[in-house]
Amino acid sequence: MKIITGNDLRTGDVIWWTGEGWSRHVNDAVDVPEGAEAIIARENAKQIVTDTQVIDATLTDEGVRPAHIKDRIRALGPTVRLDLSLKPADPAAGTWVI
Amino acid sequence: MYQYDSYDQKMVDARVAEFRDQVNRRLAGEIAEDQFKPLRLKNGLYLQLHAYMLRVAIPYGTLNGAQMRMLGDIADKYDRGYGHFTTRQNIQYNWIKLEQAPDLLADLASVEMHAIQTSGNCIRNTTADHFAGAAADELVDPRPYAELLRQWSTFHPEFDYLPRKFKIAIIGSETDRAAMKLHDIGIQLVTNDAGEVGCKFYVGGGMGRTPMIAPVIGDFVPPLQMISYLEACLRVYNRYGRRDNKYKARIKILVHEIGADEYRRQVEEEFAHILTLGLEPPPAELERIKGFFEQPGFDAAASDDLDLSDPDFAVWVKQNVHAHKQTGYAIATIALKPVGGIPGDATADQIRLMADLARDYSFDELRVTHAQNIVLPHVKKADLYTVWQKLDEAGLANANLDLISDIIACPGLDYCSLANARSIPVAQKISERFADLGRQQELGELKLKISGCINACGHHHAGHIGILGVDRKGVENYQLLFGGSEGADTSLGTITGPGFSEDGIVDAIEKATNVYLDQRADGERFLDTYRRIGMAPFKEAIYAKEPANG
Amino acid sequence: MVEQNLRYRSDEPVADPAVTVDAFADQSNATAVRIEPGDDARDLLPHLDRLALVEVNFPAYTDGRGYSAARILREHGYQGELRAVGDVLLDQLSHMRRCGFDSFAPNHDIDRAAADKAFATWPEVYQKTVDGRPAIWAKRHG
Ligand code: HEM
Ligand code: SF4
């Protein structure tokens, strides 16, 4: 699948396109097989998101999994500070990125 | 320490106002990201993997207790309770909100600090010997010159859009603790037979993709012409440095391509012209600045004795304490390198504790080292034990300075959007593998440096052991280098061969240290043995096939 | 492309079209020249007295060679109009002014009020350049 990601302009938070808006959780990301450019142009123009891009991902049992390790780390948080990641309670969360 | 006067303060205040205006224009949609990006970068605000990252300048790595305390408070108020000290003697915060950045800068300005020119293709924060003003082997205190340089380089109108970033380091002793020859310009303050001070200019060093050791360009530039000479060096670079390819845009490439002699000739020609313009601050300005760097009020009667009956303390003293020019005093280094920890990270509480220790025991002074550690430069020997106890309580008494676990590591793929691989987990695994301090001491001085990509922020070229993260078909992979060094014997490391997995690299390093233990001659460090016996025995050991039943 | 001109001189603008540095060398009657980033401003030094306008082109704002070109001309006594042309941004105006530019022809709109504000960004300056402003060190030591 193709998903859209970016950063919240004001806070810098990593965000994912949900079809209606933006979420901090990669599992909320929706497949955008086409029309991504138009969505990006429209959302950029609203001045609420920055550094938008389309990336590859797959839908797994555990949810949406970005194809590249860099995007998986973006989705999770720093693997060396899981307490600050999106899965602070899961000590094995780091293995998800590999 | 230097203190701002109203002029200096006006400059940082003006910068805060300017940046506030730029952020407002961005948030109001008046400027687009591609215009805003270079503006925020000029203020050290990057967009990293997870959030905005702010790099705060610590000019020549020197700060006082109030400034350090502010760095801790900022970590709590605007970030997530910690900061990362970098190889460029700066601090980085990883979770800054754009909308709060102007307030953060205003807080910094209230303690005479800023984030000016901590990114972008301009003259970056000048670094210096972290033992300046304290080291027993110092000839000339580089700090007044570094401050002169700071002021000259701040908002320099001609050199704000150079071909590439520009980094200057300055030292004033024989021992080079600032990797001076691996900078765009390294200045070594030296004295001649008549006792006069001169600046020895090394130009065109650097790491990154094409590491180079800087050749000497100016032998003995009078200190009162230092600024003019810098103007000449920079102008020649600005006019002729390559713009067509950012990988070839650093001054090292220019000096290499036209040759040191031709570059020197052009600099001399420009220098002769610039000397006619009166750009140099007057002697009185250097004297004024020097006035801020007088020796603190040392107790001349302080005892040189040290009670080493506590063995843990003795180990720390042996490893982390250096000789001071003043009898009865010592330089103490706080290694931010706990076993299994993140090199260079400190919590807000730890930062504030170090600020308190500086206030109470080190004439209110601290230094950041390029090895991502903190220095208390002027501790009375009689106070060392107390200082150590307080550090120990806060988990900051790691007695591993310059040992294998005193690792330099860049943020790598855990934070950095340019990374190919993670650096920090590798550092953690190595320090865990060699956790036993006795074993580390047996291995002796061993500088291990890790970068997560070819940009070499972790100085991997200059590590006795260097590690470079690469991307092998989407999987993290690590190349190993041996034989790098920075300092008087600067050399660049050589890649051993095929790369390793994260666990593989830890095994390989262990095997290499075993070769060293086997082969070393008396008094040899790992680096010395490597230089004597060469790569072959190491290579053989690290690439040997394991026996099948291993 | 907008070609507006923010000009901070009181003399009459030069009407002549600016020629290239190469062409200028062979044209004894030209009074206006345009410097591209790769040109050596020092080639013009022997002819400063017959020049009334020098345009310095910034094809991309990131290419800062023009700052040095401007300063070199002023340091050698050039008195005529020095115009920054091309990708000239609001946030660069004050540095350009400090390097000797007294006229700006950005290829996009910059309004005069915003420009005036930009020139006033730095209440003080650390370096002596060619704009006549005293450096902070000069003020400190009277
Ligand atoms: C996390 C964000 C960072 C980014 C995006 C970044 C980017 C870069 C880039 C692109 C280069 C190569 C420059 C060139 O070769 O022209 C570089 C070099 C360097 N960076 Fe960083 N860096 C980052 C963090 C750091 C940190 C945390 C440190 C200190 C620990 C650091 C210290 C250095 C040093 C010492 C160099 C080598 C200088 C040289 O090439 O001569 N950087 N950085
Ligand atoms: S070396 Fe590469 S990965 Fe590490 S901080 Fe620098 S740019 Fe990022």
Side-chain angles (χ1 to χ4, degrees):
Chain A
M1 64 197 283
K2 300 264 182 214
I3 59 178
I4 305 176
T5 181
N7 295 78
D8 183 309
L9 174 65
R10 287 171 180 272
T11 64
D13 290 347
V14 174
I15 48 179
W16 310 88
W17 178 246
T18 66
E20 287 155 15
W22 297 91
S23 162
R24 284 173 174 65
H25 295 270
V26 68
N27 279 344
D28 298 336
V30 292
D31 189 15
V32 187
E34 56 201 49
E37 300 311 314
I39 296 172
I40 286 181
R42 191 186 70 218
E43 292 298 310
N44 278 352
K46 289 189 201 161
Q47 316 294 353
I48 50 167
V49 55
T50 184
D51 250 38
T52 31
Q53 49 179 322
V54 186
I55 62 163
D56 290 318
T58 48
L59 195 57
T60 69
D61 293 345
E62 288 173 84
V64 178
R65 182 179 167 84
H68 197 278
I69 182 173
K70 187 177 287 185
D71 294 313
R72 293 196 291 276
I73 292 179
R74 277 187 83 234
L76 176 71
T79 64
V80 292
R81 287 298 303 266
L82 290 174
D83 55 321
L84 304 178
S85 76
L86 285 186
K87 298 180 186 171
D90 177 2
T95 55
W96 177 76
V97 308
I98 301 166
Chain B
M1 266 192 60
Y2 186 72
Q3 274 173 8
Y4 281 10
D5 65 4
S6 62
Y7 292 112
D8 299 308
Q9 191 65 46
K10 259 193 238 174
M11 296 302 278
V12 293
D13 291 346
R15 175 52 138 200
V16 176
E18 186 201 31
F19 191 61
R20 198 179 289 282
D21 175 60
Q22 290 167 344
V23 170
N24 288 343
R25 282 190 278 147
R26 174 68 184 111
L27 293 179
E30 288 168 30
I31 38 178
E33 187 63 18
D34 56 339
Q35 285 170 299
F36 180 63
K37 188 173 169 183
L39 302 177
R40 68 167 157 76
L41 285 178
K42 281 266 151 60
N43 239 340
L45 195 65
Y46 288 75
L47 188 57
Q48 276 302 317
L49 221 44
H50 308 293
Y52 292 103
M53 180 275 278
L54 181 74
R55 185 179 288 156
V56 175
I58 301 177
Y60 37 100
T62 299
L63 69 183
N64 63 27
Q67 293 173 324
M68 188 73 162
R69 192 163 304 106
M70 179 59 84
L71 294 181
D73 291 346
I74 284 174
D76 272 340
K77 189 167 163 192
Y78 301 101
D79 200 271
R80 300 195 178 175
Y82 68 108
H84 177 73
F85 290 96
T86 80
T87 51
R88 300 213 65 261
Q89 301 182 314
N90 292 327
I91 185 169
Q92 292 183 177
Y93 295 106
N94 296 300
W95 306 93
I96 299 303
K97 295 179 171 42
L98 177 61
E99 55 194 3
Q100 293 186 340
D103 291 340
L104 191 169
L105 293 179
D107 283 357
L108 278 178
S110 74
V111 292
E112 307 181 2
M113 293 184 81
H114 58 76
I116 296 165
Q117 287 166 214
T118 53
S119 177
N121 293 335
C122 49
I123 306 170
R124 302 288 190 87
N125 185 35
T126 297
T127 54
D129 183 351
H130 48 256
F131 289 169
D137 68 346
E138 184 165 278
L139 285 170
V140 185
D141 185 348
R143 292 172 300 167
Y145 300 90
E147 174 58 28
L148 205 59
L149 251 161
R150 181 191 75 80
Q151 298 188 19
W152 163 76
S153 61
T154 300
F155 308 132
H156 196 298
E158 186 177 341
F159 305 131
D160 214 17
Y161 292 90
L162 293 167
R164 204 73 183 82
K165 56 165 95 167
F166 205 89
K167 301 177 179 179
I168 304 177
I170 182 162
I171 67 169
S173 50
E174 232 358 271
T175 320
D176 172 12
R177 286 171 283 258
M180 184 250 316
K181 291 178 199 165
L182 294 171
H183 284 73
D184 296 286
I185 292 186
I187 301 175
Q188 183 176 20
L189 296 162
V190 293
T191 48
N192 64 11
D193 294 341
E196 295 157 336
V197 176
C199 310
K200 192 166 180 179
F201 270 76
Y202 292 83
V203 185
M207 284 179 267
R209 205 165 287 260
T210 336
M212 286 189 191
I213 299 170
V216 176
I217 296 297
D219 259 327
F220 198 81
V221 178
L224 290 171
Q225 297 178 351
M226 179 181 80
I227 297 298
S228 303
Y229 200 81
L230 281 164
E231 291 258 353
C233 290
L234 266 294
R235 180 173 283 177
V236 171
Y237 168 54
N238 190 36
R239 299 180 61 217
Y240 302 115
R242 287 179 63 166
R243 312 267 173 174
D244 58 331
N245 179 342
K246 80 170 186 165
Y247 300 121
K248 297 194 169 173
R250 295 288 292 268
I251 194 173
K252 61 193 173 191
I253 306 289
L254 175 71
V255 174
H256 183 73
E257 282 184 352
I258 67 177
D261 290 336
E262 173 58 15
Y263 176 74
R264 184 182 304 109
R265 189 192 65 74
Q266 296 197 20
V267 168
E268 293 293 336
E269 186 180 299
E270 197 63 44
F271 182 48
H273 159 67
I274 285 172
L275 282 180
T276 65
L277 303 173
L279 304 186
E280 199 76 34
E285 177 63 0
L286 184 59
E287 290 311 311
R288 183 188 76 90
I289 296 175
K290 277 186 183 168
F292 290 104
F293 295 101
E294 303 271 309
Q295 297 257 309
F298 291 126
D299 170 6
S303 160
D304 222 22
D305 295 339
L306 200 53
D307 175 1
L308 295 173
S309 52
D310 181 332
D312 290 337
F313 173 60
V315 168
W316 181 77
V317 169
K318 175 169 177 283
Q319 210 58 48
N320 291 40
V321 174
H322 288 83
H324 199 283
K325 19 171 119 157
Q326 178 73 27
T327 6
Y329 287 80
I331 306 171
T333 303
I334 306 168
L336 300 179
K337 310 291 171 66
V339 167
I342 299 178
D345 273 16
T347 65
D349 287 337
Q350 289 176 329
I351 294 173
R352 281 185 291 253
L353 173 84
M354 293 188 276
D356 291 345
L357 291 177
R359 179 196 59 206
D360 298 340
Y361 301 104
S362 183
F363 294 93
D364 209 29
E365 254 193 64
L366 303 115
R367 309 289 171 73
V368 182
T369 82
H370 82 273
Q372 304 178 283
N373 295 320
I374 303 293
V375 172
L376 296 172
H378 314 293
V379 185
K380 211 185 222 182
K381 284 192 174 166
D383 291 333
L384 267 180
Y385 190 65
T386 314
V387 169
W388 173 77
Q389 284 178 311
K390 294 187 181 211
L391 287 172
D392 200 27
E393 275 165 34
L396 288 171
N398 312 299
N400 57 351
L401 191 72
D402 292 339
L403 300 180
I404 192 169
S405 65
D406 181 14
I407 299 169
I408 290 183
C410 79
L413 194 50
D414 279 301
Y415 292 101
C416 177
S417 50
L418 302 176
N420 285 323
R422 285 173 291 167
S423 312
I424 299 167
V426 177
Q428 290 174 319
K429 284 193 175 164
I430 294 170
S431 71
E432 280 160 0
R433 177 75 61 93
F434 293 90
D436 179 56
L437 192 58
R439 186 173 176 202
Q440 294 189 40
Q441 286 173 321
E442 177 64 22
L443 288 172
E445 181 185 306
L446 214 174
K447 301 198 175 180
L448 203 151
K449 307 183 189 226
I450 311 176
S451 306
C453 82
I454 193 70
N455 287 326
C457 303
H459 290 192
H460 66 273
H461 300 294
H464 300 177
I465 296 178
I467 298 174
L468 166 64
V470 294
D471 175 340
R472 212 176 61 181
K473 301 197 186 91
V475 178
E476 296 165 296
N477 194 261
Y478 298 91
Q479 291 184 343
L480 187 56
L481 297 86
F482 293 143
S485 177
E486 53 198 15
D489 63 346
T490 299
S491 58
L492 300 169
T494 308
I495 295 181
T496 56
F500 300 88
S501 67
E502 188 175 303
D503 289 320
I505 192 94
V506 184
D507 293 338
I509 287 170
E510 188 166 32
K511 288 174 191 160
T513 57
N514 289 337
V515 172
Y516 157 68
L517 290 176
D518 244 25
Q519 306 254 0
R520 69 174 162 191
D522 256 3
E524 269 184 353
R525 302 168 299 165
F526 177 91
L527 177 67
D528 303 320
T529 304
Y530 169 82
R531 283 178 173 166
R532 178 171 55 79
I533 68 177
M535 181 67 94
F538 289 96
K539 214 166 161 164
E540 201 172 303
I542 62 178
Y543 291 111
K545 285 266 174 294
E546 298 283 338
N549 57 1
Chain C
M1 199 197 293
V2 211
E3 273 289 350
Q4 57 156 149
N5 195 353
L6 296 163
R7 196 165 181 277
Y8 300 85
R9 299 178 62 91
S10 49
D11 55 355
E12 277 302 303
V14 179
D16 294 5
V19 301
T20 65
V21 173
D22 280 347
F24 180 77
D26 321 318
Q27 255 174 291
S28 56
N29 59 350
T31 61
V33 66
R34 183 181 184 111
I35 299 184
E36 297 295 335
D39 292 335
D40 191 340
R42 292 182 304 183
D43 291 347
L44 298 176
L45 298 183
H47 315 289
L48 292 185
D49 47 353
R50 70 178 166 96
L51 270 172
L53 170 65
V54 178
E55 289 185 348
V56 178
N57 189 23
F58 290 85
Y61 76 86
T62 46
D63 189 333
R65 282 176 278 192
Y67 294 87
S68 288
R71 244 184 112 177
I72 287 168
L73 292 174
R74 290 291 190 221
E75 284 169 3
H76 287 86
Y78 174 62
Q79 298 286 335
E81 179 169 347
L82 194 50
R83 183 186 293 167
V85 179
D87 196 11
V88 172
L89 305 180
L90 178 64
D91 293 278
Q92 299 179 312
L93 291 184
S94 75
H95 279 3
M96 289 185 163
R97 189 83 180 262
R98 298 217 60 221
C99 289
F101 289 103
D102 53 9
S103 153
F104 306 88
N107 57 15
H108 52 265
D109 257 328
I110 293 183
D111 75 56
R112 195 164 274 271
D116 288 340
K117 193 169 157 220
F119 290 129
T121 307
W122 308 117
E124 304 288 347
V125 294
Y126 278 121
Q127 314 79 5
K128 177 177 173 190
T129 62
V130 289
D131 62 350
R133 293 180 72 177
I136 287 173
W137 47 257
K139 292 190 167 185
R140 279 181 181 140
H141 302 282

